[in-house]
Amino acid sequence: MLKMVNAAEETQKGNQMLRMSETPKGPQLKLSTQDPAEAQQQIEPELPKSTLPRESDLEEQRAAERTKPGWIKCRCSLWALVLAFCLCVVLPGMVFYLHHSLRGGNWKQEVLASPCNSSACQRASVHLSMSADPFTHPCDYFLFSCGPDGSSTKAQGHQREKSRRDVKEKRTLDRKTELLQYLREILESDDSLASSAVQKAKAFYRTCLDTKSLDNAGEEPFLALIHKLGGWFVSGQWNQTDFNSTLSVLMRDYATFPFFNAYVDKDPTDTSGETTKRYIQIDQPDLLIPIEWISEKEKSQVIRETLHPFLASCSRYLALLGSPPDSSSSKISVGAFVSLSSELAVAMAPLSHRKAKGQLSQRLTIKELQSIAPAVDWLGCLQAAFHSPPLTEDERVLLHNLPYVVQMSHIIGNWISGHELSPSGPLHTFMLLNLLHTLLPALDSRFSETANNFSVVLGHVGVRQGVLDSKPQSEGFTAAPRWKRCVLETERGFDGVLAHLLGINIAGGEAEELVENILSSFKSQLYKLKWHNQKTLQFVMRKGQSVTPKIGTTKEKSSEAELDLLYSEVSVSLDSFFSNYLQLLSLLQKRRSKLLHDDWISADILSVTPSLLGNELSVPMGIFIPPLFHPTYPRAMNYGVLGFLLAKDLLHVLLPDIYSQSVTVRDVGQCVWSHYRSVTNNESQAPPLPTAQQQEVWLQFSALQIALEAYQKSLKKQPADTSISGFSTTRLFFVAFSQVNCDADLYHHLMPLEPSFLVTAICAKSHLCPTTLQCPKTTRRYSSHGC
């Protein structure tokens, strides 16, 4: 036993001597190219001489090694094997952890994310199940490219299942339609506890849908209104009311402007945004008869191909009002209406021509206007339409086609003086037929069918309905589904109410956070671009840094009590949409009058794209709706869909000329396009994309990057997120984005490939995605480097 202890002590001493002898070996290896003597001189000062092993000690150490028991040697080998095994197990785990950490995500979070069980999330789950997951169907989800009309066209060399294509076509809606659908759900919901204003809006909508009551009422409501206005020549019962008196009533009570348009707005030439002053604006009207601009003659004329169907539709209207088409009064009235419309059309001009001639925003006082266009009682008519507070002759107005106004006054004077027996009979009929056109939405189906048939005829002859730069009020009304028409009409009168209901979706702050994060990521993206010069970079950076976002307007955030007070004078009938519609027209004109002297701003809730006014980025509330957004959605879904759309709009608004400012746009656009052609087996020689398409490809590619970066920033602040359909974090982000497809907006015709392919372009950098995307059907593997 004593020998074993002594042997162990000797062994321990030998190991100590061995460690001491190995101390200088590191430096000796590094200096192996030096002279041995010089190396020894450099090493010796580092250790005291007393620590250097003697030759006798080294001999004893070697002897101890030779006499070391075998079980000690085995134990050393065993520990070496255990250490190697641990390294083999732990090292890959560390690499895996670091890999996922660098991705910006949290692997444990992706596994343990709790499901979202709200009703909105349940509907979203069904929505997601209707299309392919890009990570489980990498060969299917991007194989359709965007066509010039926004529809999907099959990419060359691939065939998607018909059922999946049908589902996609039913699912793909533009943002405006999604908004109208959502407003429809609000108006059709049953909420007995809603405020008075909300109840009135819903009642108005329901009476609009009640076409049976409209058909039962027939033409009688309009005939009663004509009688109230003094009758007319067609019926043989006319009190020969004064021309200007009738015109004033139509402008005040029925928002109808037969001979000219009158509205209130800011001076279009004042772009500073510092003044809030508004002016009465006088513009050319929306004539009912289709006309066209003849640039060679610099004048407008009635489109001859539409003259006969237009006469037929006018005769049909009169027949519905009790005047047979073959009666003398009907023929005279229709002939006079067409003749007067043709005379007025000659003096009209498109916006581009008027702008080139300097005919826009010409300032005149009402007194000056009266002297050059005396047939109209301008002070009386404008006072009737904009009655609070009273106007004076010194009030300035803006004219946007002064030559037309002068010619219109001359035409009206000739028609009054040229008909001795009935001085203003044709003018009166002209005004009443314009009133009929205004009230078409509130009349029975026979009137709307007449308008629709005329629209069809115009389409057959290749002529768009309307005049030059504007469209008649009924365009789009007769062709759209009834529910959509009723939503639009309800929004005209109850926009403040609907804005309040939309605001409920953004009350929690999720919308503000999304906008702020998208704008922040947009600004950081500017630094990654290669700019042509430093001056351009500084200009763009100043522009981007100065932008401040704002969701909606101040007026849109009215309380329920304020809305109830605003609509307190509105009495909605439960069985007469015609009377409700007359109240709507009166309400609209009162609002126009209020605009002249108050800072009241109408709620533009039908807008679905941001706009820039000065440094303020106005983000409409109408974009924060399902299926694009919901406060209970996982943030991955909100950022993947609406975050991308918002980033895309932001790039369009703030960087309209980016192609000429940065070489990155061309390089990235062409790179993505090359990858697309490679993946879709369409690598034949073809010219590069046009400039506009390269910019759009870069823009949407960058928008997706911005949205992803914004979502990752959100995760860093709040690591927890919920799940839908078992997906979470990055994967749900991309799956949600793949639902966007050919989003119908102003620029969809510039996108040569379906946006969902951008998932493949982003996932070329595999660390950004849950898995790499490879389609076995493609002839080439997708490039592993990103654009």
Side-chain angles (χ1 to χ4, degrees):
M1 185 62 135
L2 183 60
K3 290 183 179 180
M4 292 180 64
V5 172
N6 292 335
E9 291 177 354
E10 290 295 329
T11 302
Q12 182 177 1
K13 186 182 295 184
N15 288 340
Q16 181 179 1
M17 296 299 295
L18 180 61
R19 287 194 300 269
M20 293 173 62
S21 65
E22 289 176 347
T23 302
K25 286 186 178 180
Q28 287 177 352
L29 290 175
K30 292 181 181 178
L31 301 174
S32 58
T33 57
Q34 294 179 338
D35 182 81
E38 294 177 356
Q40 184 66 24
Q41 290 177 0
Q42 294 183 17
I43 295 170
E44 286 177 353
E46 296 179 7
L47 296 172
K49 290 184 179 181
S50 60
T51 62
L52 294 177
R54 294 172 298 180
E55 185 64 28
S56 59
D57 294 332
L58 293 177
E59 288 296 333
E60 292 178 3
Q61 178 181 339
R62 295 189 188 101
E65 286 293 327
R66 288 193 295 268
T67 60
K68 184 183 294 184
W71 64 273
I72 294 180
K73 295 180 180 180
C74 292
R75 186 176 62 178
C76 293
S77 301
L78 181 60
W79 278 110
L81 289 174
V82 171
L83 179 61
F85 177 77
C86 292
L87 289 175
C88 292
V89 173
V90 174
L91 187 59
M94 294 179 63
V95 172
F96 181 79
Y97 174 78
L98 291 175
H99 171 71
H100 282 268
S101 298
L102 291 174
R103 279 173 46 193
N106 189 321
W107 178 75
K108 290 184 178 180
Q109 176 186 324
E110 292 200 8
V111 175
L112 302 177
S114 59
C116 175
N117 296 319
S118 69
S119 58
C121 285
Q122 291 174 3
R123 290 193 296 269
S125 179
V126 175
H127 191 76
L128 290 177
S129 66
M130 294 174 65
S131 61
D133 172 12
F135 299 101
T136 56
H137 299 87
C139 300
D140 292 337
Y141 77 101
F142 61 79
L143 300 184
F144 281 70
S145 60
C146 289
D149 59 349
S151 61
S152 294
T153 56
K154 188 165 49 183
Q156 191 175 15
H158 291 273
Q159 179 68 43
R160 177 183 270 187
E161 299 175 16
K162 183 178 184 302
S163 60
R164 186 169 294 159
R165 180 174 64 247
D166 293 341
V167 167
K168 175 186 171 181
E169 290 174 353
K170 292 178 182 178
R171 177 177 49 78
T172 303
L173 296 174
D174 61 90
R175 281 184 273 178
K176 190 64 168 285
T177 303
E178 295 279 13
L179 175 57
L180 294 177
Q181 288 272 24
Y182 186 71
L183 293 176
R184 177 189 183 183
E185 294 179 6
I186 290 178
L187 292 171
E188 293 182 355
S189 63
D190 186 13
D191 186 2
S192 58
L193 300 179
S195 66
S196 173
V198 173
Q199 296 283 17
K200 289 177 180 179
K202 293 184 176 183
F204 180 91
Y205 174 77
R206 285 194 298 268
T207 58
C208 178
L209 288 178
D210 188 6
T211 56
K212 183 177 180 180
S213 296
L214 288 177
D215 290 340
N216 290 337
E219 71 279 1
E220 291 302 322
F222 187 74
L223 290 175
L225 180 60
I226 290 177
H227 180 74
K228 181 180 178 180
L229 295 172
W232 66 339
F233 174 75
V234 175
S235 64
Q237 299 178 351
W238 177 44
N239 297 336
Q240 297 195 19
T241 52
D242 176 68
F243 163 75
N244 278 292
S245 297
T246 303
L247 180 60
S248 297
V249 172
L250 295 186
M251 293 171 62
R252 181 192 64 207
D253 296 335
Y254 308 109
T256 299
F257 303 88
F259 297 98
F260 55 87
N261 274 331
Y263 58 94
V264 174
D265 206 347
K266 295 180 180 179
D267 185 353
T269 62
D270 183 10
T271 58
S272 63
E274 298 178 356
T275 178
T276 59
K277 182 173 177 55
R278 296 179 175 89
Y279 300 87
I280 296 175
Q281 322 261 327
I282 308 297
D283 206 342
Q284 60 190 30
D286 298 327
L287 291 182
L288 304 183
I289 192 169
I291 64 176
E292 62 183 347
W293 173 254
I294 308 300
S295 56
E296 294 81 5
K297 300 179 181 180
E298 291 193 348
K299 70 175 185 178
S300 298
Q301 68 179 23
V302 174
I303 303 174
R304 295 180 180 179
E305 295 85 349
T306 66
L307 187 57
H308 180 72
F310 182 75
L311 285 168
S313 64
C314 291
S315 299
R316 174 61 176 165
Y317 287 136
L318 294 182
L320 293 175
L321 295 174
S323 178
D326 55 350
S327 66
S328 59
S329 61
S330 179
K331 292 180 180 179
I332 293 174
S333 298
V334 171
F337 180 77
V338 174
S339 179
L340 179 54
S341 299
S342 301
E343 290 184 42
L344 293 172
V346 174
M348 298 181 69
L351 182 64
S352 57
H353 177 79
R354 287 180 283 152
K355 185 176 181 180
K357 295 293 184 179
Q359 297 173 353
L360 299 178
S361 303
Q362 294 179 275
R363 294 194 183 193
L364 281 81
T365 64
I366 295 178
K367 183 177 181 180
E368 293 171 336
L369 180 60
Q370 188 67 53
S371 65
I372 61 177
V376 176
D377 178 11
W378 290 103
L379 182 60
C381 289
L382 294 179
Q383 179 62 54
F386 311 102
H387 50 79
S388 177
L391 299 176
T392 66
E393 290 184 336
D394 296 327
E395 186 82 23
R396 291 188 177 274
V397 296
L398 299 183
L399 272 73
H400 300 295
N401 192 345
L402 181 58
Y404 167 80
V405 172
V406 174
Q407 183 65 17
M408 174 205 66
S409 175
H410 180 69
I411 293 171
I412 291 174
N414 288 343
W415 278 86
I416 292 177
S417 61
H419 296 76
E420 298 178 357
L421 297 179
S422 55
S424 61
L427 297 175
H428 190 72
T429 299
F430 184 88
M431 289 187 286
L432 291 185
L433 286 178
N434 274 270
L435 177 61
L436 174 69
H437 188 77
T438 301
L439 294 173
L440 276 180
L443 296 175
D444 69 77
S445 58
R446 297 173 300 167
F447 291 90
S448 59
E449 287 173 2
T450 302
N452 190 43
N453 291 337
F454 182 60
S455 299
V456 172
V457 171
L458 295 183
H460 286 167
V461 298
V463 178
R464 71 176 180 91
Q465 186 175 354
V467 51
L468 303 179
D469 308 305
S470 56
K471 300 178 181 179
Q473 299 168 8
S474 65
E475 181 174 358
F477 178 86
T478 55
R482 183 72 189 182
W483 71 263
K484 184 178 292 187
R485 293 180 258 162
C486 292
V487 169
L488 293 172
E489 294 299 343
T490 306
E491 186 276 333
R492 291 178 67 199
F494 297 89
D495 55 347
V497 176
L498 296 182
H500 171 73
L501 295 175
L502 281 178
I504 296 175
N505 262 0
I506 61 175
E510 291 83 359
E512 288 87 349
E513 179 189 350
L514 185 145
V515 172
E516 291 175 0
N517 287 341
I518 291 294
L519 186 59
S520 174
S521 295
F522 161 78
K523 294 176 181 178
S524 64
Q525 188 76 11
L526 297 178
Y527 290 100
K528 302 176 184 179
L529 300 178
K530 296 180 180 179
W531 300 90
H532 286 305
N533 53 69
Q534 192 68 18
K535 184 178 180 181
T536 300
L537 171 61
Q538 293 174 355
F539 170 78
V540 175
M541 291 305 303
R542 283 196 302 269
K543 183 178 180 181
Q545 294 294 341
S546 63
V547 170
T548 56
K550 181 180 181 182
I551 299 179
T553 64
T554 303
K555 184 60 185 178
E556 292 169 349
K557 300 178 181 179
S558 301
S559 65
E560 291 187 355
E562 292 173 331
L563 291 171
D564 288 345
L565 179 62
L566 179 64
Y567 290 93
S568 60
E569 297 181 1
V570 177
S571 177
V572 178
S573 171
L574 299 179
D575 54 7
S576 176
F577 180 61
F578 187 86
S579 63
N580 292 341
Y581 199 75
L582 292 182
Q583 287 194 78
L584 168 68
L585 296 176
S586 179
L587 179 63
L588 290 176
Q589 194 52 39
K590 288 180 180 178
R591 289 182 181 175
R592 294 188 182 104
S593 177
K594 193 175 182 180
L595 281 171
L596 186 60
H597 303 284
D598 294 344
D599 293 334
W600 186 85
I601 300 176
S602 179
D604 185 14
I605 66 171
L606 294 182
S607 175
V608 292
T609 55
S611 58
L612 188 66
L613 182 61
N615 293 331
E616 183 179 282
L617 180 70
S618 177
V619 183
M621 291 196 303
I623 67 176
F624 298 98
I625 60 167
L628 307 179
F629 173 91
H630 196 272
T632 66
Y633 282 168
R635 281 171 292 149
M637 188 163 184
N638 283 333
Y639 280 84
V641 180
L642 186 57
F644 164 77
L645 296 176
L646 186 60
K648 182 173 66 170
D649 293 335
L650 193 63
L651 289 167
H652 274 298
V653 170
L654 297 179
L655 301 177
D657 303 318
I658 184 63
Y659 188 89
S660 61
Q661 298 170 332
S662 172
V663 296
T664 307
V665 178
R666 180 196 64 228
D667 297 340
V668 172
Q670 198 59 38
C671 175
V672 174
W673 177 242
S674 298
H675 285 322
Y676 177 78
R677 293 174 61 83
S678 173
V679 171
T680 55
N681 294 335
N682 188 11
E683 299 181 86
S684 58
Q685 292 296 326
L689 288 176
T691 299
Q693 289 189 336
Q694 287 186 23
Q695 175 167 315
E696 188 64 22
V697 171
W698 169 85
L699 187 143
Q700 296 203 22
F701 181 76
S702 299
L704 183 57
Q705 289 181 312
I706 289 172
L708 179 58
E709 180 182 331
Y711 175 57
Q712 291 174 332
K713 288 182 179 179
S714 176
L715 279 181
K716 289 181 180 179
K717 296 178 181 178
Q718 297 177 328
D721 200 1
T722 55
S723 170
I724 290 181
S725 300
F727 302 124
S728 58
T729 61
T730 309
R731 182 165 184 175
L732 180 57
F733 173 91
F734 285 118
V735 171
F737 163 75
S738 67
Q739 314 305 305
V740 174
N741 293 298
C742 302
D743 180 61
D745 57 22
L746 296 176
Y747 308 97
H748 70 272
H749 60 285
L750 297 177
M751 190 65 175
L753 48 90
E754 188 171 293
S756 54
F757 175 77
L758 299 176
V759 176
T760 298
I762 293 289
C763 288
K765 300 178 180 179
S766 59
H767 67 278
L768 295 175
C769 300
T771 59
T772 57
L773 288 173
Q774 296 292 346
C775 176
K777 297 179 183 179
T778 57
T779 57
R780 289 190 179 186
R781 290 178 60 84
Y782 188 71
S783 174
S784 60
H785 70 276
C787 293

